[in-house]
C-alpha cells in the first residue's frame, strides 16, 4: 500500500543502492570521491544494502589459475578517475606487489587476485554498506497531488524490518545462475557458480567421472580444473559445437566495449542493435580464451598418444536429460547428427550454462507499474541508465545491469563500470537529487 507523505517528513537518503557487487562498490566509490571534493551541503548521502554476509563476487568460480578476461585498467575507477586511490594499482602498492606485477608483463590478473582487489576496495567504503540486509519491498510515498518524490525501501535483517527513505535507487543485484529448462540443482547436479563450494564435499572420495555441459569460458575452465584436481577421474565435456570457439579480443573488436560504443548503441535503431550483437557476441558469449583451448587440446592429444584418455570431448551433441540418484547422476547425451543417445553415469554433472538477468523491476512492487516498457515488454531505460517512468514519479531508479537491450554488451560486464557509475552520479547531481538536510530517515516496522 502506498503511503501519504506527511508535511514534516524526515530527511531522506539521496541514493539507496540495492546489492553491493562490483558495480555498486564502484558507485559507492564515485560518491565517496565526489563528497571529498565538495562542501558538506553538496555531499550526496548514500547507503547500500547487500543480502550476503560479506562482499563476494562469484566465489564459487575463483579457480586458482583462472584469469580475468578484462584488462586491470578497467577496474572500478581508472577509466573515470585515473588518479583514484581506489585503483587496482593502488591495491597492488598496498599489498607490496606493484613491482612484481609490472615485471609479470600481463594485463590480465588472476581472477582470485581481482576478487581480493574488490574486497579491498569494498572494505574502504564499508561505512556505506549494510551486509546481511535484504531489500524486500519498495513503496512509493505519495504527495496529496499524486506525485512521488520519495521511495520507502523496506530492508530485512536479523534485527527485523526497517524502512529507509530515498529520492533515488540504484539497482545492482547482479545475475542469477541459469539452468536448462526442467533441470534442478542437487547434490550431484551443479551449476558452475557453486563449483568450488561443492567440490570440497568430494574430499576423501574417489570420483570416477564428471560431465561438464557448456561451450564457454567457464565450462572450459571447469573441465581443466576437474581434470587436474581429480587425476583418476574421467572428465567429459558436452557441447553442441565441433569445438570451443576462441574469444575475439582483438583491438578493433574490443571497441564494442568502449564508452563511445554505448552512445552509438543507444542511438542506433533496433535493427542495428540486433546486428551489432550478432556481429560481436563472440567477444563475450560462449567463447574461450585461445590459450586455454590450446592447453586442453594439447592435453587431450597427449592422453591419446599415451593411451590414458581421461579427457573426452563429446561434441555436436547436447544433454537432453539428467536424473539424480543418491550415488550418481545419469546424463543422457544426444548426437545432433545421428540422434543416437548415450548414457553417462557420473559422480557429478556440472552445468556451465551461464546466467540470466532477473526482471530489473521485480523488487519495485507498485512502483513497477509506473515504469514504462517498449514494444517488446522490456523496461525502457534512458541514456543515463535511469528507468523511464510516468511523469508523476519524480525520483530516479537507475540500473546497473539489465540494460543490454538499450546500452549494449557492456551492461553486465566490468568493462564500462567505472564510466557508468560516473554517468549515474552526474545524472543524480544534474537532476538536483538532494535530500533536504540532516540525517537519513529510518523507521522500524
Amino acid at each position: 500500500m502506498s503511503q501519504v507523505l506527511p508535511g514534516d517528513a524526515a530527511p531522506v537518503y539521496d541514493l539507496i543502492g540495492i546489492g553491493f557487487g562490483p558495480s555498486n562498490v564502484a558507485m559507492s566509490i564515485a560518491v565517496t570521491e565526489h563528497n571529498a571534493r565538495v562542501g558538506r551541503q553538496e555531499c550526496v548521502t548514500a547507503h547500500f544494502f547487500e543480502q550476503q554476509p560479506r562482499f563476494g563476487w562469484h566465489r564459487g568460480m575463483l579457480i586458482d589459475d583462472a584469469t580475468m578476461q578484462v584488462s586491470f585498467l578497467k577496474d572500478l575507477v581508472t577509466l573515470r578517475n585515473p588518479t583514484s586511490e581506489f585503483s587496482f594499482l593502488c591495491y597492488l602498492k598496498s599489498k607490496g606487489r606493484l613491482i612484481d606485477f609490472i615485471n609479470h608483463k600481463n594485463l590480465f590478473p588472476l581472477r582470485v587476485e581481482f576478487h581480493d582487489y574488490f574486497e579491498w576496495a569494498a572494505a574502504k567504503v564499508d561505512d556505506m554498506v549494510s551486509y546481511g540486509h535484504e531489500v524486500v519491498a519498495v513503496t512509493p510515498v505519495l504527495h496529496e497531488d499524486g506525485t512521488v518524490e520519495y521511495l520507502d525501501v523496506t530492508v530485512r535483517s536479523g534485527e527485523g524490518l526497517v524502512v529507509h527513505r530515498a529520492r533515488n535507487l540504484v539497482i545492482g543485484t547482479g545475475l542469477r545462475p541459469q539452468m536448462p529448462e526442467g533441470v534442478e540443482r542437487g547434490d550431484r547436479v551443479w551449476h558452475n557458480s557453486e563449483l568450488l563450494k561443492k567440490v570440497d564435499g568430494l574430499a576423501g572420495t574417489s570420483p570416477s567421472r564428471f560431465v561438464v555441459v557448456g561451450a564457454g569460458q567457464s565450462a572450459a575452465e571447469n573441465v581443466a580444473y576437474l581434470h587436474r584436481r581429480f587425476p583418476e577421474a574421467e572428465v567429459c565435456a558436452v557441447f553442441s559445437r565441433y569445438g570451443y570457439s576462441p574469444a575475439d579480443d582483438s583491438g578493433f573488436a574490443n571497441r564494442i566495449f568502449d564508452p563511445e560504443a554505448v552512445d552509438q548503441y543507444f542511438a542506433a535503431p533496433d535493427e542495428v542493435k540486433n546486428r551489432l550483437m550478432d556481429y560481436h557476441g563472440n567477444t563475450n558469449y560462449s567463447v574461450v580464451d585461445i590459450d586455454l583451448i590450446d592447453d586442453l587440446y594439447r592435453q587431450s592429444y597427449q592422453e591419446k598418444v599415451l593411451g590414458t584418455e581421461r579427457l573426452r570431448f563429446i561434441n555436436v551433441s547436447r544433454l537432453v536429460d539428467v536424473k539424480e540418484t543418491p550415488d550418481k547422476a545419469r546424463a543422457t547425451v544426444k548426437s545432433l547428427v545421428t540422434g543416437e543417445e548415450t548414457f553417462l553415469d557420473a559422480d557429478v554433472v556440472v552445468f556451465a550454462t551461464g546466467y540470466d538477468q532477473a526482471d530489473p523491476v521485480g523488487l519495485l512492487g507498485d512502483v513497477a507499474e509506473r515504469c514504462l516498457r517498449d514494444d517488446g515488454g522490456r523496461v525502457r531505460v534512458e541514456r543515463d541508465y535511469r528507468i523511464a517512468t510516468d511523469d508523476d514519479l519524480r525520483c530516479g531508479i537507475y540500473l546497473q545491469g539489465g540494460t543490454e537491450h538499450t546500452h549494449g554488451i557492456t551492461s553486465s560486464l566490468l568493462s564500462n563500470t567505472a564510466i557508468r557509475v560516473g554517468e549515474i552520479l552526474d545524472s543524480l547531481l544534474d537532476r538536483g537529487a538532494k535530500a533536504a538536510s540532516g540525517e537519513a530517515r529510518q523507521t522500524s516496522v
Side-chain angles (χ1 to χ4, degrees):
M1 177 181 294
S2 299
Q3 302 177 26
V4 177
L5 178 68
D8 57 347
V12 297
Y13 284 112
D14 298 325
L15 178 66
I16 282 181
I18 304 176
F20 203 62
S23 291
N24 270 350
V25 173
M27 188 76 240
S28 70
I29 293 170
V31 170
T32 298
E33 293 184 335
H34 166 79
N35 289 349
R37 293 192 302 268
V38 301
R40 183 174 180 181
Q41 294 301 317
E42 299 174 82
C43 286
V44 172
T45 59
H47 201 77
F48 298 80
F49 297 98
E50 168 58 53
Q51 63 181 348
Q52 293 188 101
R54 59 192 176 106
F55 179 86
W57 179 67
H58 299 309
R59 286 185 177 275
M61 299 169 60
L62 298 178
I63 296 171
D64 52 9
D65 63 347
T67 58
M68 299 293 295
Q69 277 75 58
V70 63
S71 165
F72 73 89
L73 292 171
K74 294 184 176 181
D75 58 17
L76 299 174
V77 293
T78 297
L79 294 185
R80 175 181 59 81
N81 177 15
T83 64
S84 173
E85 65 183 54
F86 293 87
S87 70
F88 181 71
L89 292 180
C90 286
Y91 156 80
L92 289 173
K93 180 69 173 178
S94 74
K95 298 293 183 178
R97 294 201 304 269
L98 179 58
I99 298 300
D100 295 329
F101 183 84
I102 292 172
N103 290 339
H104 191 37
K105 299 179 181 179
N106 196 330
L107 288 172
F108 306 102
L110 290 169
R111 195 177 297 158
V112 68
E113 182 177 33
F114 223 61
H115 187 278
D116 192 55
Y117 158 63
F118 287 152
E119 288 187 290
W120 171 85
K124 290 168 74 70
V125 291
D126 63 359
D127 60 319
M128 297 178 68
V129 59
S130 294
Y131 292 106
H133 286 63
E134 179 185 8
V135 173
V136 296
V138 176
T139 308
V141 182
L142 295 177
H143 278 291
E144 292 181 358
D145 63 1
T147 60
V148 178
E149 292 187 10
Y150 308 102
L151 297 172
D152 276 350
V153 180
T154 303
V155 181
R156 179 171 56 206
S157 69
E159 300 173 355
L161 297 176
V162 176
V163 176
H164 302 264
R165 185 164 291 182
R167 296 190 68 175
N168 298 277
L169 298 182
V170 57
I171 301 174
T173 49
L175 302 172
R176 61 187 181 189
Q178 184 176 36
M179 297 289 283
E181 185 176 354
V183 176
E184 298 292 335
R185 286 187 275 180
D187 292 339
R188 295 184 179 275
V189 178
W190 305 347
H191 186 271
N192 70 285
S193 61
E194 55 191 349
L195 177 71
L196 295 186
K197 179 180 177 181
K198 289 276 195 178
V199 82
D200 287 341
L202 299 177
T205 67
S206 300
S208 60
R209 176 183 286 158
F210 294 92
V211 174
V212 179
V213 181
Q217 180 73 23
S218 294
E221 288 175 354
N222 284 198
V223 168
Y225 171 76
L226 293 170
H227 184 267
R228 180 177 72 249
R229 172 80 182 264
F230 299 97
E232 303 300 321
E234 179 182 86
V235 181
C236 302
V238 178
F239 43 77
S240 300
R241 306 181 180 192
Y242 270 94
Y244 296 118
S245 297
D248 185 355
D249 62 353
S250 60
F252 288 115
N254 270 347
R255 288 181 172 175
I256 194 69
F257 302 113
D258 290 354
E260 292 81 3
V262 177
D263 291 325
Q264 295 168 344
Y265 190 93
F266 185 83
D270 286 344
E271 178 185 353
V272 175
K273 285 183 169 74
N274 294 335
R275 193 177 302 167
L276 288 171
M277 291 299 294
D278 289 341
Y279 286 158
H280 296 291
N282 65 341
T283 58
N284 183 61
Y285 297 116
S286 297
V287 289
V288 182
D289 285 348
I290 188 62
D291 290 344
L292 180 54
I293 294 175
D294 289 343
D295 287 345
L296 287 171
Y297 191 89
R298 187 180 303 110
Q299 182 67 49
S300 174
Y301 184 77
Q302 178 181 325
E303 290 183 356
K304 286 183 178 181
V305 171
L306 300 176
T308 58
E309 293 184 60
R310 292 193 300 114
L311 196 54
R312 291 178 58 192
F313 296 96
I314 305 174
N315 61 0
V316 201
S317 301
R318 64 187 182 95
L319 190 145
V320 295
D321 188 39
V322 59
K323 288 185 170 58
E324 184 176 359
T325 65
D327 60 347
K328 68 180 179 182
R330 168 162 284 196
T332 304
V333 178
K334 183 176 183 178
S335 167
L336 297 180
V337 177
T338 66
E340 179 183 358
E341 292 187 348
T342 302
F343 301 103
L344 295 173
D345 289 334
D347 295 88
V348 174
V349 178
V350 180
F351 285 87
T353 43
Y355 296 80
D356 62 8
Q357 181 74 52
D359 185 349
V361 300
L363 282 172
L364 297 184
D366 292 344
V367 180
E369 298 175 6
R370 298 173 177 267
C371 299
L372 306 183
R373 294 183 180 264
D374 62 18
D375 293 338
R378 300 169 300 189
V379 174
R380 283 178 48 191
V381 186
E382 306 292 351
R383 176 60 186 85
D384 58 2
Y385 299 94
R386 182 169 47 91
I387 294 177
T389 64
D390 64 37
D391 292 338
D392 287 337
L393 187 67
R394 308 288 173 79
C395 35
I397 303 172
Y398 295 86
L399 298 181
Q400 299 231 59
T403 61
E404 189 173 88
H405 62 293
T406 53
H407 290 70
I409 201 169
T410 64
S411 175
S412 60
L413 306 179
L414 294 173
S415 294
N416 208 37
T417 297
I419 297 293
R420 180 173 64 244
V421 298
E423 292 175 343
I424 292 173
L425 180 57
D426 287 344
S427 175
L428 287 171
L429 297 171
D430 290 344
R431 295 176 62 244
K434 288 290 300 157
S437 63
E439 297 298 319
R441 190 199 80 151
Q442 66 176 39
T443 305
S444 299
V445 296

